[in-house]
Amino acid sequence: MSFLNPIALWGLLAVGIPILIHLWNGKRGQTVAWAAMDFLSTEESRVSKGLKLENLLVLILRILLIVLLVFLLAKLTFLSGLGQKEKKVVHMIYGDQPLWEEFRFEIQQALDRGDPVILAGNPASNITTLESLFDSEWNANSQLQPALDELPGDLDSLILYVPNSASDLNSQYFSLPVSPTIQLSEVETDSKSILIKTQAAQNFKMNEAGVLDSVATGSGEIADYDLSENIQVLVQTSDTEKEFIQAALESISEVYGIGFRFTDQLDSASLIFSNKRLPEMEPKKLYFISGQIADSESSNQIILKDSLTFMDSELIRNGQLPEFILENFLAHQGIVPKSSPLEISQLGERFLVKPTSLEAGQANINEWLLLLFLGTLGLERFFAIKQGI
């Protein structure tokens, strides 16, 4: 048993308050009239005084109320073997060889301590020696989120090594079991133009503003991303919302040549629009959830607090829905604007910590304590009123 806020335990000193009140009431004494009182002498009719702990049940209940309230404020938790538990620290590297060179000393120290070192490639791999790291091949299309999903839920600390480039982090948000300690490269990554192939007669490149500019075909360049195949789309919304979504996708197809094909099968769809939270979400799919207040729980989940109707959505009234869908779709594909330097404070906001089983257990303990507190308060009031105190 331990407490997350032990300073609140000083509140246990308040246990003496109900005891002093009961002792004081006992010292004052009470005059009890009875039928034969008039026949007693003055000496015999004196009020009896004494330091008696009367109404013992009410006193115990009041003491228990104070103890439960203090435990709630101190955040009682049960952690078996907390003192003997060895902290789980994982080092994760997301980047290519220049990043390895920059942090080779820190990585070597982690390996010497026996800490797990993971290269978040495609797929992620465990690094046992510094030599094995530099013998590895880095895939430029590697995704960080799948590697984060494989981390254990009881992780204590994550040291994350990332390049100083917004384009290398291929998602706006990431979910992980613990808040990471970020080691950001001091070297800014050189950005490159991204060539995108679509169904249109020309190819496209993304400029620094994140807008797709058309370029002439036949230049001999190999496309970095091939979007010439139809994107399977599933729409699970109202008919009104569906009309605006279809119109937005048709606008994207007309301008950029990205084809969309509607389907009723969730398994085959890679772009899903829904007005309700789905129980399970696949990392490779992109979800637009409309009419929801809760925040996004993962990088592939775009939450829209308003319904996609003309009356509710400012995106639709301003004609920005096609741009909004395209921007998030391209970001999910790893297609982002020209690289820009990052800051630790801004980067840290992109990592969302998932609730752990420990936090869930702590919440359950607090809920039971609150219920016990309310039940004890009800019993104390019942017996106090019944005994007139």
Side-chain angles (χ1 to χ4, degrees), residues 52-121:
K52 298 180 180 179
L53 290 177
E54 297 179 350
N55 306 310
L56 186 60
L57 179 58
V58 176
L59 174 61
I60 293 175
L61 289 174
R62 287 175 177 174
I63 292 175
L64 182 58
L65 279 174
I66 294 176
V67 172
L68 290 174
L69 180 59
V70 170
F71 280 11
L72 276 170
L73 296 176
K75 297 182 179 180
L76 173 67
T77 183
F78 292 94
L79 298 175
S80 59
L82 181 62
Q84 296 76 26
K85 180 184 176 183
E86 184 178 353
K87 287 190 175 182
K88 293 184 178 180
V89 181
V90 171
H91 296 251
M92 180 171 288
I93 308 166
Y94 183 73
D96 54 7
Q97 191 161 341
L99 182 71
W100 310 344
E101 287 285 359
E102 183 175 355
F103 292 106
R104 65 183 303 155
F105 178 75
E106 290 83 353
I107 297 170
Q108 183 62 62
Q109 282 189 321
L111 292 171
D112 293 341
R113 289 193 301 267
D115 295 341
V117 177
I118 300 173
L119 178 61

Side-chain angles (χ1 to χ4, degrees), residues 9-10 44 72 107 160 162 202 230 232 239 305 328:
L9 294 176
W10 284 100
E44 293 173 329
L72 276 170
I107 297 170
L160 186 60
V162 294
Q202 69 274 4
N230 285 327
Q232 301 292 320
D239 292 339
K305 297 182 179 181
N328 285 279

Side-chain angles (χ1 to χ4, degrees), residues 116-163:
V117 177
I118 300 173
L119 178 61
N122 189 17
S125 57
N126 294 319
I127 302 300
T128 56
T129 64
L130 200 61
E131 291 75 15
S132 65
L133 172 62
F134 282 90
D135 289 339
S136 304
E137 293 185 3
W138 176 254
N139 188 339
N141 295 324
S142 296
Q143 303 286 320
L144 178 58
Q145 187 59 58
L148 295 175
D149 291 338
E150 295 180 6
L151 292 173
D154 57 348
L155 188 65
D156 294 300
S157 180
L158 173 65
I159 315 298
L160 186 60
Y161 303 89
V162 294

Side-chain angles (χ1 to χ4, degrees), residues 14 17 23 40 63 73 83-84 91 115 119 165 176 219 222 237 242 253 261 280 292 299 348 352 384:
I17 296 176
L23 290 174
L40 297 176
I63 292 175
L73 296 176
Q84 296 76 26
H91 296 251
D115 295 341
L119 178 61
S165 169
L176 64 174
S219 60
I222 300 176
T237 61
K242 189 172 183 178
S253 297
R261 177 177 295 173
E280 295 182 2
Q292 298 294 322
S299 59
L352 309 176

Side-chain angles (χ1 to χ4, degrees), residues 87-385:
K87 287 190 175 182
K88 293 184 178 180
V89 181
V90 171
H91 296 251
M92 180 171 288
I93 308 166
Y94 183 73
D96 54 7
Q97 191 161 341
L99 182 71
W100 310 344
E101 287 285 359
E102 183 175 355
F103 292 106
R104 65 183 303 155
F105 178 75
E106 290 83 353
I107 297 170
Q108 183 62 62
Q109 282 189 321
L111 292 171
D112 293 341
R113 289 193 301 267
D115 295 341
V117 177
I118 300 173
L119 178 61
N122 189 17
S125 57
N126 294 319
I127 302 300
T128 56
T129 64
L130 200 61
E131 291 75 15
S132 65
L133 172 62
F134 282 90
D135 289 339
S136 304
E137 293 185 3
W138 176 254
N139 188 339
N141 295 324
S142 296
Q143 303 286 320
L144 178 58
Q145 187 59 58
L148 295 175
D149 291 338
E150 295 180 6
L151 292 173
D154 57 348
L155 188 65
D156 294 300
S157 180
L158 173 65
I159 315 298
L160 186 60
Y161 303 89
V162 294
N164 194 356
S165 169
S167 61
D168 287 334
L169 293 175
N170 45 35
S171 180
Q172 186 176 5
Y173 294 104
F174 302 92
S175 61
L176 64 174
V178 66
S179 181
T181 300
I182 300 174
Q183 297 286 352
L184 182 62
S185 173
E186 296 182 358
V187 180
E188 296 182 12
T189 304
D190 294 333
S191 60
K192 65 175 184 177
S193 299
I194 299 176
L195 184 64
I196 304 169
K197 179 182 179 182
T198 68
Q199 296 178 357
Q202 69 274 4
N203 292 341
F204 294 87
K205 283 186 178 181
M206 180 172 287
N207 60 27
E208 296 182 6
V211 178
L212 295 181
D213 289 332
S214 62
V215 294
T217 58
S219 60
E221 295 184 80
I222 300 176
D224 298 288
Y225 291 90
D226 189 349
L227 301 180
S228 59
E229 299 291 334
N230 285 327
I231 309 299
Q232 301 292 320
V233 181
L234 173 64
V235 181
Q236 295 178 330
T237 61
S238 64
D239 292 339
T240 303
E241 289 183 282
K242 189 172 183 178
E243 291 178 3
F244 285 107
I245 293 170
Q246 289 177 335
L249 296 179
E250 289 173 1
S251 176
I252 296 173
S253 297
E254 183 178 350
V255 176
Y256 299 107
I258 301 176
F260 299 95
R261 177 177 295 173
F262 293 91
T263 178
D264 295 330
Q265 303 299 320
L266 180 61
D267 294 339
S268 60
S270 56
L271 186 59
I272 296 98
F273 294 86
S274 179
N275 55 6
K276 59 184 178 181
R277 303 297 286 268
L278 301 177
E280 295 182 2
M281 297 190 179
E282 300 180 29
K284 294 184 178 180
K285 299 178 184 291
L286 180 61
Y287 300 83
F288 288 87
I289 312 297
S290 60
Q292 298 294 322
I293 299 178
D295 294 329
S296 174
E297 297 177 354
S298 59
S299 59
N300 65 328
Q301 182 184 97
I302 310 300
I303 299 295
L304 299 168
K305 297 182 179 181
D306 299 320
S307 299
L308 292 177
T309 61
F310 187 84
M311 294 296 296
D312 297 330
S313 177
E314 187 176 352
L315 289 173
I316 293 178
R317 291 195 298 271
N318 296 337
Q320 297 175 336
L321 183 59
E323 180 182 347
F324 179 79
I325 294 175
L326 180 61
E327 178 183 352
N328 285 279
F329 173 75
L330 294 177
H332 181 67
Q333 299 294 322
I335 307 172
V336 294
K338 182 180 178 180
S339 174
S340 58
L342 295 170
E343 294 183 4
I344 291 290
S345 58
Q346 297 175 344
L347 186 57
E349 296 175 354
R350 300 172 67 173
F351 293 94
L352 309 176
V353 180
K354 297 181 291 187
T356 63
S357 57
L358 174 60
E359 292 172 343
Q362 174 63 31
N364 289 334
I365 293 174
N366 289 333
E367 289 176 2
W368 282 108
L369 282 176
L370 180 59
L371 290 175
L372 185 58
F373 175 82
L374 295 176
T376 305
L377 179 62
L379 287 175
E380 186 273 336
R381 287 290 82 204
F382 173 77
F383 288 109
I385 295 173

